[in-house]
Amino acid sequence: MRVRVLAHAQGAAAYAILTALLLVVAFPFYWMFVSSLKSEEQMRSLTAMFWPSPAVLDNYRQLLGKTDFGAWYGNSIVVAVGSTLVATAIGTLGAYALARLKFAGRAFMASATLITYLVPPSILFIPLYAQIRTLGLADSLTGLVAAYPSFTVPFVTWLLMGYFESIPVELEEAAMIDGATRFGAFRRVILPLAAPGVLAAALFAFTQAWNEFLYALVFITNVKLRTLPVGLSTFITGDVYGWGFLMAGAVLTTLPVIAAYTYLQKYMVEGLTAGSVKG
Amino acid sequence: MDQRLRHLAEQLDTGLIARREFLRRAAVVTGGTAAGLAALRTMASGQPKTKLRVWLFKSFVTNANDVLGRQIEAWAKERNVEVEIDWATFGDREPKFVAAIEAGNPPDLAEMHIMGPTRYKAVLRDVSALAGDIARGKGGLLPFAETAMKIDGKFLAVARYSMTTVFFIRRDVMETKGLKPPKVYDPDVVEFARKTQDPSKDLFGFGQTLNRSDDGDGFMENILWDYGGGSWDKDGKPALGTAFRAQNLKALQFAVDTIQKHKIQPPGVMGWTDVSNNEAYMAGKLVTTNNGASLYYAMVTKKHELAPKTQLVLTPGGPGGSFVGSSCYNWAIFAKSKHADLCEDMIRWVEDEKRFGEYLQVSVGQAGPVYKGRVDNPYWKSDPNFEAIVQNIVRSVNYGHPGPLTSAAVEVRAQHILTDMAGRVVVGGLSAEAALKEAHARVEEIHKMRRT
Amino acid sequence: MATPAARLPAAAALRRRGASVAFARALGPDYRLGYLFVAPIVVLVLALVAYPFGYAIYLSMTRKYVGVPPVWVGFDNYVKLTWDGFFQRAVYNSFIFTFGSVGVKLLLGMAMALVLTRRIRFRSFWTGVLLIPWVAPTVVSALNFLWIYDYSLGVLNYLLVKVFHVLPRGVGWLSEPGTAMASVIAVNVWRGFPFFGISFLAGMKAIPAEMYEAAAVDGATALQRFRHVTLPALKNIIVIVVLLSTIWTFNDFTIIYILTKGGPGGATQVLPVLTYEIAFGAQRLGEAIAVALYMLPAMAAVIIVLARYMRKGGAR
């Protein structure tokens, strides 16, 4: 009896915590969404705080019609998808090698993957831009696709290292006994098993790339090649903020990523599961 | 020879020299040799269009940005060149410039604000001839503009327009109380604020932050000058806590008093960023505030209900006079540019009075004059509020006043030394003397570092 | 008997093969595939991380103004910083910001994970929703909160004063030093706790149910089960997540810069903001980089120690 009461109490507590977290998480987005539907006067006047009256689509209409928002969107997609593919490929290969294969220098490289995070991008971008330029990639989306993996690959690698380590060695050994090469075992046996982990890593890399601001600001000068975060920031000019544009743009920028995550998040959890346990 | 021929071809292409002149010079260069003529022939066929990279300042006046963009495109068409324009606004400019310069990849031409020429003097081209020429055609530069553009005796930029701050007053509130615009901060502004505010209705007499921001830094500079003080003496040496110590102390105390003693400011003012006073004023919570003309622009273009109720007046002064600083936006050509002639030509094009007039008409008072000749443009009489803008600009002084505009002075402003000093008193609990001493040490340090 | 001469080439060949075998053994049995697979990472890291990083370290030991060649000053910048009051304050604030944020994120993340392991309806959906702060662009979220925290027009004060009547008048969230730091920490926590939550959730899912059942049979309460089953199993994840988050939070620039720019009166001035200001305000690049790199050795040491701890502690 007491156990049942306790269980109920725990259940109630869980729901309470969940509700609190959801409120905290959702409210700013709700606010952003509601603000995007208000006209400027409404936003300034503190009337109709929690639901616009009337709701207007002006902000969206102007955003899509009068600005290069569409172009920014396309650019962001290109850069995010491109750099994600690159980072995931590089990270997967590297993680497998560091987790499974035995060669000199492996332990050092494994630790070194995380050390790259110590370097703050807010400083690194100056010499990095010079590098990108030397490679002839300045002012191009390719430059960003090349540069973004520099901060996504370490986490992808670390994550997948743990994941690969959790896959039993016996599976590869069995494959190799059957005549497969090491590489063949990797391709046909391990990789399919690692799919959730790879997906989780890819989602992470995509998010980082989608939201990145500083490199995109500095490496790109052609206004047609701007990405979303930089484009949105142009609505802030000194002390005049285009709140309507900003909120509408923010909603549209965040929605696809939210959709992707909501749909794919169970893979993310699965992907992190095996990966994290062994660290 | 190839290089010289290419240069000539570029000039012909862009109409800078006439065809006959081109042929004459080309003949000289090639020496009339068969090889030279052959080179000429191959070049004539495969000359790609010259590309110019131009970085413009994205002002909040979107219409003016459009006008400028269109004018530059028109010029490009005339001269048969390709122009790649990038727009950057207040916050984004500096990282872009620094990264580009360090990577050896600056644009050909950039529109900069007042700190630009001083900061980047190492990589800018000497444009004294051009600047002098343009200034002569427009009646000469206003004193503060000339000081800002002339670094180490040469002009590193061509002045374009200026932005300033003015004192905003709610005319309706003022008239209800039968008051007149205040001329000095102490006691006029204090009295004015006290008589007009109504904190119970969320209306405060004066909204001026001392936080790190353009608004805060500008106000602190002005108030120090207003009390006869300042950070630098006339030789450009640090004077914050030494030569002008007594005056600065009084000024600092006054600034702090507006929040703590006189209570004419809204709570939370120390957390304001540049946009906060705009928002507060437009929400009807402030009777007066200092701000750039951007606030006026925002209200007029959005047909805000307070626009007709707003009066702009000269920034108030103090016992040492009345001072205000303005920013002078300018054109700078990078030394690395291979198309300096074209750049100079473009500058002449957009600064042409007719075209600048076009820009001015849509600027809602943002494009203040920097040339004496432009001060009397009838545009400035089209709105009585513009008078304050013009008068503030004409009497402007620069960072470093009464001394020269040095990189140290620029850095002291950029590092928010003065607002930090005020912050240490209001938020940090330091005494005014201690904060002043601390700030002076920082100014000394910057001065020492920048002297090399 | 074979002539020594005849034996010589064979012996030499054997020795050569022996040498190459020894070489291969030194490199490890999988060295060919291994090096091939890590080659892309190594190239990437060398070109885009190591080289710029090396150049940055060099610059930090110079006096460097924009467009002017660097002038070597050795450790001068670092020495000066050590005695600089503003730098010291930034270090202090960075620690407060980082440990405050990470601490709260740890708790909230754990709560989130515990809640989501239960069998509740639409669990997938809630998990997705709770991830949103982490996937939204930071710039956007920071601006949103700037608007929410606004003294006169912000919804937070509106709620507290006009709706719930908890306070007589609004609070200057970003203008008082005490609330300013707490306010920016709150935004960082809001943005970051889902990462903790999802990582812990993943870890919890990997714990076999039998362990909980065994503990329950032994009469353990929920709290005891948490302490003795859940936490130990999560040990490695907790360490790595806290470590990563500490580094990321320490380097976080956007949130504080957009909300307070380091004010009021320097109350929220942290190292990344200071770096940015010195680099683009004062335009003294050498010093700016020195600020950014100052804490690096300490953090690297922590990483190395923890990485070693985990390699040993985690089952292999």
Side-chain angles (χ1 to χ4, degrees):
Chain A
M1 174 56 192
R2 186 188 293 177
V3 174
R4 193 121 48 90
V5 167
L6 211 57
H8 275 253
Q10 281 174 30
Y15 270 109
I17 296 180
L18 179 65
T19 314
L21 285 178
L22 284 174
L23 274 178
V24 163
V25 160
F27 183 76
F29 286 99
Y30 163 76
W31 186 244
M32 202 165 79
F33 178 66
V34 160
S35 298
S36 74
L37 293 175
K38 289 186 186 172
S39 62
E40 294 261 354
E41 301 93 59
Q42 264 190 68
M43 279 199 268
R44 213 161 264 116
S45 64
L46 289 185
T47 55
M49 274 296 254
F50 297 107
W51 191 255
S53 73
V56 292
L57 286 176
D58 286 348
N59 293 324
Y60 289 97
R61 219 174 290 143
Q62 299 218 335
L63 184 67
L64 295 171
K66 291 209 188 138
T67 66
D68 290 323
F69 193 74
W72 301 338
Y73 224 89
N75 294 332
S76 271
I77 291 182
V78 167
V79 171
V81 170
S83 67
T84 301
L85 289 174
V86 170
T88 314
I90 295 181
T92 309
L93 291 178
Y96 180 71
L98 291 174
R100 273 288 197 262
L101 305 177
K102 297 184 193 18
F103 54 91
R106 187 182 64 141
F108 168 73
M109 285 193 223
S111 308
T113 51
L114 283 187
I115 302 231
T116 52
Y117 275 135
L118 287 177
V119 189
S122 55
I123 278 301
L124 200 60
F125 80 90
I126 302 177
L128 184 59
Y129 178 58
Q131 259 304 60
I132 293 284
R133 184 156 171 272
T134 316
L135 295 171
L137 295 174
D139 207 21
S140 70
L141 295 183
T142 318
L144 291 182
V145 170
Y148 282 0
S150 67
F151 56 83
T152 51
V153 162
F155 182 77
V156 167
T157 309
W158 164 77
L159 179 66
L160 287 174
M161 262 170 65
Y163 202 85
F164 285 128
E165 278 165 12
S166 74
I167 297 179
V169 191
E170 294 76 25
L171 289 170
E172 281 158 280
E173 290 175 352
M176 289 200 290
I177 289 175
D178 280 351
T181 60
R182 194 86 199 191
F183 181 72
F186 169 69
R187 199 161 67 92
R188 276 189 226 101
V189 178
I190 302 302
L191 212 46
L193 277 178
V198 173
L199 188 58
L203 275 179
F204 171 85
F206 183 86
T207 311
Q208 298 286 88
W210 186 257
N211 297 339
E212 202 281 330
F213 173 75
L214 193 54
Y215 292 1
L217 173 73
V218 172
F219 296 5
I220 302 267
T221 46
N222 186 340
V223 292
K224 293 198 203 34
L225 293 179
R226 282 207 178 119
T227 57
L228 279 172
V230 178
L232 285 184
S233 76
T234 62
F235 295 135
I236 303 172
T237 38
D239 54 0
V240 177
Y241 282 38
W243 286 114
F245 278 156
L246 279 171
M247 294 292 119
V251 170
L252 291 179
T253 306
T254 323
L255 275 182
V257 196
I258 293 180
Y261 268 81
T262 315
Y263 181 64
L264 296 168
Q265 57 84 29
K266 67 172 188 285
Y267 294 110
M268 183 143 190
V269 175
E270 226 182 287
L272 285 172
T273 298
S276 313
V277 170
K278 300 297 165 58
Chain B
M1 171 178 72
D2 225 4
Q3 183 76 310
R4 281 178 287 160
L5 281 180
R6 211 178 296 280
H7 188 66
L8 281 178
E10 192 182 277
Q11 291 187 310
L12 173 67
D13 239 0
T14 57
L16 281 173
I17 56 176
R19 189 170 171 69
R20 191 177 299 175
E21 182 64 18
F22 169 73
L23 289 173
R24 190 182 69 78
R25 291 200 202 170
V28 168
V29 169
T30 61
T33 63
L37 289 174
L40 209 56
R41 227 174 286 130
T42 51
M43 276 177 42
S45 45
Q47 188 73 345
K49 247 204 218 183
T50 315
K51 186 155 116 151
L52 215 64
R53 292 170 64 223
V54 177
W55 284 10
L56 297 177
F57 164 64
K58 184 176 159 112
S59 149
F60 38 79
V61 189
T62 33
N63 293 336
N65 294 342
D66 291 339
V67 167
L68 183 59
R70 260 185 283 125
Q71 288 177 347
I72 293 183
E73 300 281 334
W75 172 83
K77 210 148 152 248
E78 270 277 315
R79 297 276 180 257
N80 196 25
V81 293
E82 207 182 301
V83 166
E84 184 190 279
I85 301 182
D86 189 17
W87 299 87
T89 187
F90 292 83
D92 311 330
R93 256 187 317 222
E94 309 309 319
K96 286 178 83 102
F97 275 130
V98 171
I101 293 173
E102 287 301 307
N105 191 22
D108 293 288
L109 176 63
E111 191 184 354
M112 300 192 179
H113 79 323
I114 193 171
M115 292 186 183
T118 314
R119 276 180 164 156
Y120 306 123
K121 61 184 174 193
V123 292
L124 291 181
R125 184 187 159 86
D126 181 352
V127 291
S128 303
L130 175 67
D133 207 24
I134 292 186
R136 259 192 304 276
K138 302 188 198 303
L141 279 166
L142 287 174
F144 87 97
E146 176 149 349
T147 319
M149 301 293 98
K150 208 162 170 186
I151 319 263
D152 300 332
K154 24 184 216 253
F155 279 90
L156 293 182
V158 177
R160 175 167 168 77
Y161 69 87
S162 66
M163 273 201 219
T164 189
T165 56
V166 284
F167 196 71
F168 285 69
I169 303 183
R170 283 282 299 276
R171 189 190 311 117
D172 53 334
V173 176
M174 176 171 71
E175 281 168 0
T176 322
K177 303 281 181 188
L179 295 170
K180 285 212 152 35
K183 289 261 180 331
V184 291
Y185 275 110
D186 195 4
D188 294 1
V189 170
V190 178
E191 284 306 304
F192 188 94
R194 275 220 201 96
K195 291 199 179 114
T196 53
Q197 70 179 6
D198 188 358
S200 65
K201 294 212 177 64
D202 222 9
L203 177 68
F204 295 89
F206 183 50
Q208 175 62 62
T209 185
L210 303 179
N211 194 18
R212 299 172 138 224
S213 56
D214 255 343
D215 288 338
D217 290 317
F219 173 76
M220 285 306 297
E221 275 178 352
N222 294 348
I223 201 79
L224 289 192
W225 287 325
D226 288 342
Y227 275 74
S231 309
W232 308 93
D233 66 14
K234 64 175 172 44
D235 298 315
K237 297 218 180 18
L240 188 60
T242 47
F244 292 143
R245 184 173 177 280
Q247 301 92 316
N248 290 335
L249 210 50
K250 287 209 193 85
L252 175 60
Q253 194 60 55
F254 171 76
V256 168
D257 283 346
T258 60
I259 301 178
Q260 294 180 331
K261 187 164 118 187
H262 303 306
K263 300 214 193 304
I264 50 179
Q265 297 232 42
V269 73
M270 274 313 279
W272 282 7
T273 54
D274 278 316
V275 72
S276 317
N277 65 329
N278 298 39
E279 307 266 334
Y281 184 85
M282 288 198 280
K285 296 186 193 293
L286 298 177
V287 182
T288 68
T289 189
N290 281 308
N291 205 71
S294 55
L295 175 57
Y296 193 62
Y297 164 80
M299 289 194 292
V300 166
T301 45
K302 293 194 177 57
K303 304 209 199 330
H304 195 279
E305 54 168 10
L306 288 182
K309 298 188 187 147
T310 299
Q311 183 169 352
L312 307 182
V313 299
L314 292 184
T315 313
S322 180
F323 293 86
V324 67
S326 303
S327 180
C328 169
Y329 280 76
N330 54 76
W331 297 109
I333 303 178
F334 282 85
K336 262 192 151 147
S337 170
K338 296 193 182 52
H339 312 295
D341 303 331
L342 282 177
C343 294
E344 295 203 353
D345 190 61
M346 195 202 94
I347 296 176
R348 282 186 204 276
W349 175 277
V350 295
E351 290 305 323
D352 166 80
E353 281 312 295
K354 196 159 78 89
R355 285 190 198 95
F356 186 80
E358 213 187 308
Y359 183 88
L360 184 64
Q361 292 297 324
V362 298
S363 66
V364 193
Q366 305 309 302
V370 286
Y371 298 104
K372 296 191 180 129
R374 286 185 181 160
V375 174
D376 300 315
N377 191 309
Y379 175 76
W380 298 107
K381 301 270 185 286
S382 64
D383 181 336
N385 277 331
F386 287 166
E387 182 64 20
I389 297 179
V390 174
Q391 289 312 314
N392 257 6
I393 290 175
V394 167
R395 66 189 183 118
S396 278
V397 295
N398 285 313
Y399 315 131
H401 179 83
L405 175 60
T406 58
S407 6
V410 164
E411 188 178 328
V412 164
R413 164 72 187 236
Q415 290 258 62
H416 311 290
I417 306 278
L418 297 181
T419 41
D420 276 349
M421 175 173 78
R424 292 284 273 155
V425 178
V426 177
V427 170
L430 241 57
S431 71
E433 288 89 358
L436 190 66
K437 189 149 159 243
E438 191 185 74
H440 180 83
R442 291 179 75 194
V443 173
E444 285 274 6
E445 199 195 322
I446 292 176
H447 176 72
K448 201 167 63 164
M449 272 194 292
R450 282 289 178 173
R451 219 144 26 126
T452 44
Chain C
M1 187 164 79
T3 59
R7 230 182 284 155
L8 223 54
L14 252 179
R15 242 179 286 125
R16 268 199 307 274
R17 202 151 37 103
S20 71
V21 165
F23 183 62
R25 200 174 300 146
L27 288 181
D30 302 311
Y31 75 95
R32 268 198 211 90
L33 196 63
Y35 287 151
L36 182 68
F37 272 19
V38 295
I41 291 195
V42 171
V43 167
L44 177 84
V45 169
L46 281 179
L48 295 181
V49 180
Y51 175 73
F53 185 35
Y55 186 59
I57 295 184
Y58 163 67
L59 278 185
S60 77
M61 309 228 230
T62 66
R63 192 172 54 230
K64 173 100 182 69
Y65 297 137
V66 179
V68 174
V71 173
W72 179 264
V73 293
F75 284 102
D76 223 30
N77 291 335
Y78 290 98
V79 170
K80 243 194 322 192
L81 283 177
T82 315
W83 301 114
D84 182 307
F86 283 85
F87 176 74
Q88 291 165 354
R89 184 180 61 189
V91 171
Y92 175 75
N93 286 337
S94 277
F95 272 98
I96 302 264
F97 178 69
T98 304
F99 289 117
S101 303
V102 172
V104 180
K105 283 190 275 197
L106 184 59
L107 294 174
L108 276 188
M110 193 60 83
M112 170 180 161
L114 284 172
V115 163
L116 291 176
T117 46
R118 305 183 70 90
R119 253 176 263 108
I120 51 181
R121 303 243 300 270
F122 306 119
R123 184 171 55 176
S124 273
F125 182 68
W126 300 135
T127 315
V129 169
L130 286 177
L131 273 180
I132 294 180
W134 194 52
V135 311
T138 311
V139 174
V140 162
S141 303
L143 285 173
N144 200 14
F145 273 97
L146 182 64
W147 183 237
I148 291 177
Y149 278 137
D150 190 271
Y151 175 78
S152 4
L153 302 174
V155 69
L156 183 59
N157 280 343
Y158 185 83
L159 281 172
L160 290 172
V161 176
K162 299 237 174 67
V163 174
F164 295 125
H165 301 292
V166 173
L167 293 174
R169 58 151 44 105
V171 175
W173 298 103
L174 300 173
S175 66
E176 308 295 323
T179 55
M181 182 53 96
S183 304
V184 294
I185 288 181
V187 177
N188 184 284
V189 166
W190 180 87
R191 198 263 310 258
F193 87 88
F195 174 62
F196 280 71
I198 201 106
S199 301
F200 294 162
L201 177 65
M204 285 181 194
K205 279 192 157 180
I207 302 176
E210 301 86 58
M211 297 194 65
Y212 284 114
E213 285 161 17
V217 159
D218 283 349
T221 64
L223 194 59
Q224 285 171 327
R225 287 203 298 274
F226 177 70
R227 263 188 66 205
H228 297 289
V229 178
T230 316
L231 277 187
L234 287 183
K235 197 169 56 155
N236 269 357
I237 305 186
I238 296 181
V239 166
I240 195 79
V241 164
V242 165
L243 180 66
L244 273 178
S245 183
T246 304
I247 299 178
W248 286 335
T249 308
F250 205 79
N251 287 338
D252 186 40
F253 166 79
T254 315
I255 290 180
I256 295 193
Y257 190 70
I258 290 190
L259 287 177
T260 60
K261 288 207 170 44
T268 56
Q269 177 76 300
V270 291
L271 289 172
V273 177
L274 183 64
T275 302
Y276 186 86
E277 285 185 355
I278 299 186
F280 304 110
Q283 309 235 331
R284 279 186 264 138
L285 298 180
E287 271 183 55
I289 298 184
V291 172
L293 296 182
Y294 198 94
M295 303 303 302
L296 211 83
M299 288 167 72
V302 172
I303 286 189
I304 293 176
V305 165
L306 283 173
R308 201 162 293 169
Y309 161 77
M310 277 177 25
R311 299 258 126 231
K312 258 190 244 138
R316 298 273 325 209

